[in-house]
Amino acid sequence: SSNEHKLNFKKSKEACLSYIQDALLQKQWKRAAEFLTCYVESLEKDYSREHIGPSEMIWRIGTEILWHHSQSSMKEFNCFMEQMKTLGVKRYLKVCLEHVFHLLCNGQIDEAYQNLSLAESWRFGEQTAIQDKEMKLIQAYRGLLDYYSWSKQKNVLLEHGEDGFSDLAVEQEMHGYFRKAAVNLKEIIKIPGVWDIFVKCYVDLLEFYGDHNEARQVLNEYAYNSKFPANPNAHVYLYQFLKRQGESKKSLISALKILHDIVPSHELMIDFNTMLQKSKKRKKRRLGLEVIFAALDYAGWKENAKAWRCLARQVKQIVISEKHLDWIKQEWNSRKDWWPAFHFSRYLAKRDWQENKSLSYEKALVAGILLGKDCKYFKYVSHQGCKAQLKRFRMLKKFVNRHNPVYLRISG
Amino acid sequence: RDFNERCAQCSEVNWGLTDGGRFYCRSCHNVTERTREVVNTDFITNSRVQTISKGLRKQEKNDGGCEWYICEGFQLVLKKQVEALEALGVCPQMKDEILCNFWRCYLQKSKQAYCKRPAGETVKALSVCESSTDVDSDPERPSLLHLLSLSESEGDLQTDCSFASSVSKVSESTSVYSGSVDGSLYLMKNQKEKLSMTMPMTLSFCYMALLWVREPITLSELLRFVVEGHIPYLNVFQHFPEKMKLCGLDLKIFCVESWPVYEEVFNKMHELAAFLDLPRFPDITESCFLHPDMLCMKYLMEANLPDELHNWTCRVVKKIGVGEVDFLTLMPGNKSARKVKYDVLAAAVIVVVLKLLFLLDDHYEWLLSELAEERNKNDTEVCIFYSGGPYFEFKKWYEVVKHSLDVEQKKLDEERAKYLWRCEKPLFYSVKNKSKVLKRRQMVVNLQNQFGKLSGSVQRAEKPNPSSFQLSWSEENKDGSCFHGHSLKGILQEKCGLLTVMNPDYWLCTVKLCNEKLCGHLAHYREVEFPQSYHFVLGLFSFLLRIQPSYIHDEVCMIEHKLFNKKLCKKLKYNTVLRK
């Protein structure tokens, strides 16, 4: 800091905070603790005008330090959290919740559960209504832990079942957990939000007890209710559920369609393309091509042999049938400027050949069709393949040579 | 009674008091000039001087507190401060004679004591903390909020109003809390008329006394000692006796949450001197520590500059007349005389000398440095020894000093960030939020313990011993990091038998001085307009004096204008090229 000679309490504490921040960023916990010790007297001042007051600062910073500091124990951490709970009544439930998270991270499930129960029973005049959202979260997490207990009991039962024993007490307990969990989980997923884990667990419960209608409804709500934020996972869960239920391809496809729109690079795109390719409807097959091309636009898919196989298969099929070449042309149009360097460089040809021959095979096919037999990639790989006397590469070479005119029509 | 000195005539210790309040020796009837301290600096209940109207004084209150007046509090503060100064080595007369008399005079002039209270003005015993239930519905009494918004504190305690308001509904008729009798009156009074005491003003008192006695402590040093904790200031109220309960508005007066600013203390001191109708202060002569020649020597040493520069600072001082007794000595009430900031003046003189010798235009000084470096390489050690030290290389000096300065600045910045402002003594607005305050304090202490343990082996360092020098350089260091003995011969030349500088140029910081009365400054220091070397030098002294560089810059401008507006003397030959 510069020559700031007019020093007062506020400026001094601001400077202190920036030192703490630096120390935290550099993971110097001792140094952060040193400065925090000097900062805490800010609690004796009123900062009601500030956006974030010292009590919140101290809570957050103290949590970080105690969590990471080598000499800090869980006992100290808990003691600190209890103090923080008394500091700001407006933040009480939030602090409880974060405390629970830390306990869970530390594997202290029982303590976490106790804290959640305690928090649930908290009442403080109008604050209770104001902190309603946090309360719902607390209940939801308790529901989650109930689910976890249910799950444990279920496994115990299954084991016993194999042995031929049936333990009524365990079963009763299990059902008890189910009821507790279901109530809370159901509540939270009514509120628009991202509740992946709650939804998953709730659906799991419903499925176990055979309430598939409810499960379907929940998943549909979660995926299609516009009030909920767009969430790719919602569609994934729905899709997986439908698959488990043995639904028709049609409904599976419609579930994945939106996923493709939101996340064209999602790993389920392979499944999607596979389904679409096989469809009798032309539109669907067209979509399939679009889907697989779109997926391969992403760097993460460059070395995905399965994806390339999908594309290769479809391209091959189109070329052989000589129908719908315009599809390929359309897809290739926006890609011909950058895919060659992105996927089909000579360097990649060498590398793919070395690392994954199947990958290079599929890619070479696609390259050969899209860029012609003289393209670097195809030339190198097919040459290598023929040199290595691998039959399929010879076949590949023949195929591409035979269909070279296609390339001319595509690129034209 | 308290006077224990031996009589000058008969060496007995047997004193009595004359009617005039002077001590006389009972054995030989020798009357001394020493007068009894009228104001007993120990606080004893009800031992106040009889001139305060009796009013409604009660001896003891239910909680063991007693009535006390704000000025009594300040008296205690001053006592503590001057005792600390004594511990630093200041002469004891300062406490017993000088400051004490100043204080008496102040009380008299501001009509807080030693005078007949003006008719009609009684000191009402305003309801004190405990009796917050009796609400005096006097519509003229200002509300709590209004009083809190007065005075220039940074609004810190203003925000504590939330405590107060959470405790009681703040309305026009709320009784005004203060532990002292006249806390609210004190804040209400028109401050200009009567010059009410403030915490910064206690330092003005101290400085005034120091100046009177011509102690070798500059104002910047005094303020530095305050910040370093050698002189009580921040939480000095914790030394008030138990009986003096501090609460409510007293906090506004006695609890400071910012360090005193040089300008403020300085200006107040002059105001005070005029207010007290003090005569001309004792002369500041050439042998005085505060004389620019002396201070320049000190600062040159501290800045690690060659001793030879002292000749030049003396020459400049002489040339512009700032070494004259009449210029330097304080004459209170003389509005036309420039108020002298001895430390800033000395620093500015050095800056001007550096500009004279090295130009400091980010070019010439490095050129000179290179030349010096060459010469130093070529000279043998013997040669250097005989010719009075190696050539002074600006570059080396810059590197060495910058390094140390950066280290010290970093330390200082960290210290400031780690500063603890609160003390054990709890502060609360009223009894009602006492428990809340105490709880908070307890939590703070707990957290300090918890995180203090995690701070590792770093313990809060003990207060360093007060020292006059912040940077020190030793000639014994063989690494050549001390430049005191270096020679300026590379940049000086002989002309007509006189030593002059080789540098033919000079640039003025500003062509025209501002009107200080209008904008408060002689010039405006904006970093972008000046060379980096100039910044550096200003920054160095800014650090040493703990003041803004702009103050030094102002003084530099003042000196330059004095220097170059007069006809140039033959002895110092240079062409003045007015460059901006």
Side-chain angles (χ1 to χ4, degrees):
Chain A
S1 55
S2 61
N3 295 322
E4 187 48 79
H5 293 278
K6 182 165 169 67
L7 187 69
N8 59 16
F9 185 96
K10 189 159 170 229
K11 288 207 177 92
S12 165
K13 292 310 171 199
E14 276 170 18
C16 194
L17 266 184
S18 74
Y19 277 102
I20 295 178
Q21 186 180 32
D22 283 343
L24 286 177
L25 286 171
Q26 295 176 49
K27 302 200 201 283
Q28 293 170 332
W29 309 112
K30 285 207 176 99
R31 190 168 153 86
E34 188 189 330
F35 280 94
L36 184 62
T37 313
C38 305
Y39 180 76
V40 294
E41 59 174 15
S42 303
L43 281 178
E44 298 184 87
K45 298 295 302 163
D46 177 37
Y47 277 67
S48 55
R49 286 193 224 138
E50 303 286 327
H51 179 53
I52 297 184
S55 52
E56 185 164 352
M57 283 289 184
I58 291 172
W59 165 46
R60 293 206 181 275
I61 295 171
T63 307
E64 277 309 294
I65 295 176
L66 286 172
W67 188 246
H68 291 108
H69 198 289
S70 50
Q71 281 163 15
S72 148
S73 65
M74 221 32 216
K75 184 162 160 235
E76 260 197 66
F77 185 85
N78 290 334
C79 172
F80 174 74
M81 291 307 253
E82 292 305 322
Q83 274 186 302
M84 292 298 107
K85 286 176 192 170
T86 65
L87 252 192
V89 79
K90 287 188 192 146
R91 229 181 291 121
Y92 179 79
L93 287 180
K94 222 193 272 184
V95 177
C96 282
L97 206 51
E98 298 236 352
H99 186 196
V100 162
F101 292 153
H102 282 102
L103 288 169
L104 288 174
C105 285
N106 204 41
Q108 292 173 283
I109 316 254
D110 291 332
E111 283 86 350
Y113 195 86
Q114 276 167 26
N115 272 289
L116 284 170
S117 306
L118 208 65
E120 226 184 313
S121 61
W122 179 75
R123 299 283 177 274
F124 201 95
E126 59 176 23
Q127 281 297 321
T128 326
I130 295 173
Q131 298 185 43
D132 173 59
K133 286 205 180 87
E134 284 87 347
M135 187 56 94
K136 284 243 157 46
L137 270 176
I138 286 183
Q139 288 164 336
Y141 277 100
R142 195 167 72 78
L144 190 66
L145 291 184
D146 283 326
Y147 166 84
Y148 179 69
S149 305
W150 171 87
S151 186
K152 272 200 291 188
Q153 299 297 61
K154 183 187 81 170
N155 291 335
V156 165
L157 258 187
L158 287 174
E159 277 173 26
H160 284 190
E162 282 167 20
D163 297 342
F165 289 107
S166 73
D167 192 335
L168 210 62
V170 173
E171 211 179 308
Q172 292 287 37
E173 237 189 293
M174 191 184 91
H175 293 321
Y177 282 126
F178 158 70
R179 273 190 289 274
K180 281 201 279 191
V183 154
N184 283 324
L185 291 174
K186 184 171 180 177
E187 275 308 302
I188 192 81
I189 59 184
K190 280 193 202 151
I191 307 173
V194 178
W195 309 123
D196 287 357
I197 189 160
F198 299 138
V199 166
K200 265 179 108 173
C201 297
Y202 187 46
V203 165
D204 189 28
L205 287 171
L206 291 169
E207 279 194 87
F208 183 83
Y209 286 94
D211 194 350
H212 304 290
N213 284 331
E214 178 71 10
R216 185 195 306 267
Q217 199 168 0
V218 162
L219 287 169
N220 273 315
E221 264 293 292
Y222 195 50
Y224 296 122
N225 187 340
S226 54
K227 289 204 196 114
F228 281 71
N231 183 354
N233 292 334
H235 301 276
V236 174
Y237 298 155
L238 180 60
Y239 168 76
Q240 286 167 343
F241 171 76
L242 294 173
K243 204 166 168 199
R244 283 196 294 273
Q245 296 291 301
E247 298 271 328
S248 67
K249 282 271 180 321
K250 188 167 171 216
S251 45
L252 289 178
I253 284 174
S254 78
L256 284 180
K257 173 87 175 59
I258 304 184
L259 186 61
H260 161 70
D261 289 335
I262 310 175
V263 189
S265 59
H266 199 277
E267 57 179 3
L268 283 176
M269 291 302 109
I270 292 184
D271 290 17
F272 194 33
N273 168 271
T274 311
M275 276 193 285
L276 289 169
Q277 263 192 53
K278 293 195 197 137
S279 166
K280 294 201 181 89
K281 300 245 173 73
R282 189 170 13 125
K283 258 194 184 167
K284 295 254 159 56
R285 280 176 285 142
R286 175 70 185 89
L287 178 63
L289 192 66
E290 186 187 317
V291 162
I292 195 67
F293 261 105
L296 286 167
D297 280 339
Y298 290 86
W301 287 73
K302 274 168 103 163
E303 284 146 50
N304 190 322
K306 254 196 260 176
W308 283 106
R309 193 180 355 247
C310 287
L311 179 60
R313 185 166 60 223
Q314 197 162 10
V315 162
K316 189 171 180 185
Q317 194 263 326
I318 290 174
V319 163
I320 291 175
S321 73
E322 294 194 6
K323 271 202 255 169
H324 308 301
L325 284 168
D326 55 310
W327 289 358
I328 301 183
K329 187 168 177 181
Q330 279 162 16
E331 290 301 325
W332 186 235
N333 224 10
S334 58
R335 293 175 169 92
K336 62 182 184 230
D337 292 326
W338 59 281
W339 264 44
F342 192 57
H343 286 303
F344 304 128
S345 68
R346 188 169 158 76
Y347 165 76
L348 281 172
K350 280 194 192 162
R351 198 194 64 184
D352 292 341
W353 174 254
Q354 253 180 338
E355 310 230 337
N356 188 344
K357 295 196 171 42
S358 300
L359 173 71
S360 64
Y361 172 81
E362 307 293 347
K363 279 179 78 173
L365 196 152
V366 176
I369 297 296
L370 296 173
L371 293 169
K373 63 181 166 63
D374 292 322
C375 83
K376 290 179 263 188
Y377 196 93
F378 174 76
K379 261 175 111 170
Y380 180 86
V381 169
S382 60
H383 176 74
Q384 294 292 328
C386 293
K387 218 171 43 163
Q389 300 199 336
L390 295 169
K391 185 174 174 200
R392 59 178 173 160
F393 284 90
R394 265 186 292 134
M395 307 283 284
L396 172 67
K397 194 165 183 182
K398 276 195 203 146
F399 177 83
V400 170
N401 281 327
R402 197 175 342 132
H403 292 280
N404 201 46
V406 169
Y407 149 67
L408 297 168
R409 282 166 68 187
I410 292 174
S411 64
Chain B
R1 284 176 232 106
D2 306 319
F3 197 39
N4 283 327
E5 269 190 25
R6 293 195 173 277
C7 169
Q9 267 182 264
C10 66
S11 305
E12 292 272 316
V13 185
N14 189 2
W15 299 99
L17 267 180
T18 67
D19 290 344
R22 294 221 182 103
F23 288 111
Y24 74 95
C25 174
R26 286 206 187 93
S27 322
C28 66
H29 298 277
N30 170 37
V31 180
T32 67
E33 293 302 304
R34 295 288 287 264
T35 49
R36 181 171 83 110
E37 296 170 34
V38 182
V39 176
N40 209 333
T41 48
D42 287 327
F43 179 78
I44 300 170
T45 327
N46 245 357
S47 73
R48 288 273 303 165
V49 182
Q50 59 276 14
T51 52
I52 293 193
S53 74
K54 293 284 193 286
L56 317 139
R57 290 185 73 92
K58 289 183 265 186
Q59 179 76 6
E60 291 277 320
K61 293 210 163 302
N62 346 355
D63 66 343
C66 69
E67 287 187 349
W68 59 279
Y69 290 80
I70 293 289
C71 55
E72 288 173 318
F74 276 115
Q75 192 167 297
L76 269 174
V77 171
L78 279 173
K79 177 171 175 252
K80 283 273 166 224
Q81 287 175 337
V82 83
E83 278 170 0
L85 281 169
E86 248 181 272
L88 287 177
V90 164
C91 67
Q93 279 87 358
M94 208 182 100
K95 171 183 170 193
D96 300 333
E97 293 177 12
I98 313 298
L99 193 62
C100 158
N101 284 332
F102 280 160
W103 179 242
R104 254 192 335 177
C105 185
Y106 167 77
L107 287 175
Q108 201 163 19
K109 288 240 188 270
S110 60
K111 303 198 186 347
Q112 287 172 78
Y114 305 105
C115 59
K116 282 213 179 74
R117 198 155 279 284
E121 189 186 303
T122 49
V123 178
K124 273 195 267 198
L126 298 167
S127 40
V128 193
C129 316
E130 307 81 70
S131 52
S132 53
T133 43
D134 51 85
V135 172
D136 197 344
S137 53
D138 177 1
E140 272 156 25
R141 188 166 301 145
S143 71
L144 190 62
L145 274 176
H146 172 64
L147 282 170
L148 285 173
S149 62
L150 292 175
S151 107
E152 337 60 56
S153 85
E154 270 80 30
D156 300 323
L157 284 169
Q158 211 166 327
T159 58
D160 280 344
C161 172
S162 72
F163 280 130
S165 58
S166 67
V167 165
S168 66
K169 307 261 181 315
V170 180
S171 63
E172 284 304 302
S173 55
T174 311
S175 56
V176 177
Y177 300 136
S178 71
S180 63
V181 175
D182 58 344
S184 57
L185 265 182
Y186 215 83
L187 285 175
M188 238 166 54
K189 270 187 225 163
N190 186 344
Q191 292 176 348
K192 279 210 175 113
E193 284 172 10
K194 306 222 174 149
L195 208 67
S196 347
M197 272 302 278
T198 59
M199 279 306 288
M201 217 159 107
T202 60
L203 297 176
S204 301
F205 264 97
C206 289
Y207 178 54
M208 198 165 68
L210 286 170
L211 188 57
W212 187 274
V213 185
R214 295 175 294 182
E215 282 285 339
I217 297 183
T218 59
L219 178 55
S220 51
E221 259 181 326
L222 176 68
L223 295 178
R224 181 164 63 85
F225 289 153
V226 168
V227 172
E228 286 174 2
H230 305 300
I231 296 178
Y233 182 78
L234 195 60
N235 291 318
V236 70
F237 55 82
Q238 58 185 330
H239 300 299
F240 286 4
E242 264 304 299
K243 289 177 279 193
M244 272 171 84
K245 297 281 180 207
L246 210 76
C247 66
L249 292 168
D250 305 330
L251 306 188
K252 199 109 179 103
I253 298 170
F254 287 108
C255 302
V256 275
E257 295 209 330
S258 60
W259 289 123
V261 176
Y262 187 104
E263 282 276 284
E264 194 188 340
V265 176
F266 182 78
N267 289 336
K268 260 296 192 281
M269 191 274 279
H270 286 270
E271 243 185 277
L272 193 57
F275 180 75
L276 299 180
D277 273 331
L278 292 178
R280 179 181 162 113
F281 273 52
D283 286 347
I284 308 279
T285 59
E286 272 167 13
S287 54
C288 248
F289 178 78
L290 294 173
H291 192 275
D293 286 344
M294 298 284 269
L295 277 178
C296 278
M297 183 142 64
K298 176 185 188 252
Y299 291 148
L300 282 172
M301 272 182 72
E302 209 169 350
N304 201 11
L305 288 165
D307 298 337
E308 277 184 38
L309 282 171
H310 191 241
N311 299 333
W312 294 90
T313 62
C314 291
R315 280 165 89 168
V316 169
V317 165
K318 187 154 182 190
K319 180 92 179 104
I320 59 177
V322 295
E324 301 300 311
V325 175
D326 290 331
F327 175 82
L328 291 171
T329 308
L330 174 60
M331 183 68 207
N334 183 352
K335 295 235 163 79
S336 58
R338 187 180 166 78
K339 297 184 236 173
V340 182
K341 295 175 183 153
Y342 305 100
D343 34 21
V344 184
L345 176 63
V349 166
I350 296 178
V351 174
V352 169
V353 164
L354 287 174
K355 279 177 78 179
L356 283 170
L357 267 54
F358 298 100
L359 189 54
L360 294 187
D361 65 343
D362 283 346
H363 188 68
Y364 190 72
E365 64 272 22
W366 305 109
L367 212 66
L368 286 178
S369 185
E370 272 173 45
L371 285 171
E373 201 183 338
E374 276 302 307
R375 288 190 174 125
N376 276 333
K377 261 197 241 157
N378 294 335
D379 279 2
T380 63
E381 272 197 45
V382 172
C383 192
I384 288 174
F385 180 74
Y386 278 112
S387 64
Y391 289 82
F392 173 74
E393 288 173 52
F394 188 87
K395 179 165 176 242
K396 259 207 199 146
W397 172 81
Y398 173 84
E399 283 168 358
V400 168
V401 170
K402 179 159 174 38
H403 173 75
S404 293
L405 187 61
D406 286 345
V407 167
E408 293 301 314
Q409 182 72 57
K410 188 163 175 246
K411 262 198 242 167
L412 182 65
D413 291 339
E414 277 200 29
E415 263 169 42
R416 282 179 174 157
K418 286 205 247 178
Y419 206 85
L420 286 180
W421 296 79
R422 293 287 182 153
C423 64
E424 277 311 313
K425 185 156 178 167
L427 308 169
F428 36 85
Y429 256 89
S430 68
V431 168
K432 276 191 191 147
N433 66 18
K434 181 173 179 178
S435 60
K436 193 169 175 181
V437 167
L438 287 175
K439 251 200 267 177
R440 272 286 157 112
R441 180 75 207 157
Q442 189 55 48
M443 172 163 303
V444 166
V445 168
N446 286 343
L447 288 173
Q448 280 174 337
N449 283 335
Q450 185 170 26
F451 288 101
K453 276 193 229 134
L454 294 177
S455 300
S457 53
V458 177
Q459 292 301 324
R460 275 197 76 73
E462 284 303 313
K463 257 192 312 201
N465 284 329
S467 75
S468 199
F469 284 84
Q470 296 173 72
L471 299 172
S472 62
W473 318 90
S474 171
E475 300 243 357
E476 288 157 10
N477 281 349
K478 290 299 171 200
D479 58 359
S481 63
C482 177
F483 294 84
H484 296 153
H486 287 214
S487 163
L488 297 175
K489 53 186 183 259
I491 57 175
L492 301 174
Q493 61 188 354
E494 270 214 39
K495 266 192 186 163
C496 313
L498 298 164
L499 216 52
T500 76
V501 288
M502 280 177 65
N503 168 33
D505 298 330
Y506 193 92
W507 56 273
L508 290 179
C509 283
T510 172
V511 177
K512 187 159 184 269
L513 290 177
C514 268
N515 186 344
E516 213 166 5
K517 292 206 175 68
L518 286 178
C519 66
H521 289 283
L522 281 175
H524 296 275
Y525 175 60
R526 274 184 292 270
E527 289 195 22
V528 291
E529 292 174 3
F530 297 104
Q532 291 300 311
S533 299
Y534 181 68
H535 289 319
F536 175 72
V537 166
L538 277 190
L540 171 61
F541 288 107
S542 164
F543 171 80
L544 290 175
L545 300 183
R546 305 290 164 90
I547 57 174
Q548 297 277 23
S550 53
Y551 290 160
I552 309 178
H553 178 74
D554 273 6
E555 207 78 354
V556 168
C557 293
M558 184 272 289
I559 293 174
E560 285 178 344
H561 275 253
K562 278 207 163 108
L563 202 51
F564 293 106
N565 279 346
K566 297 195 173 169
K567 273 235 186 90
L568 296 171
C569 178
K570 263 196 202 165
K571 281 190 182 172
L572 295 167
K573 266 193 206 167
Y574 25 70
N575 301 321
T576 51
V577 173
L578 296 178
R579 250 197 266 154
K580 216 7 172 87

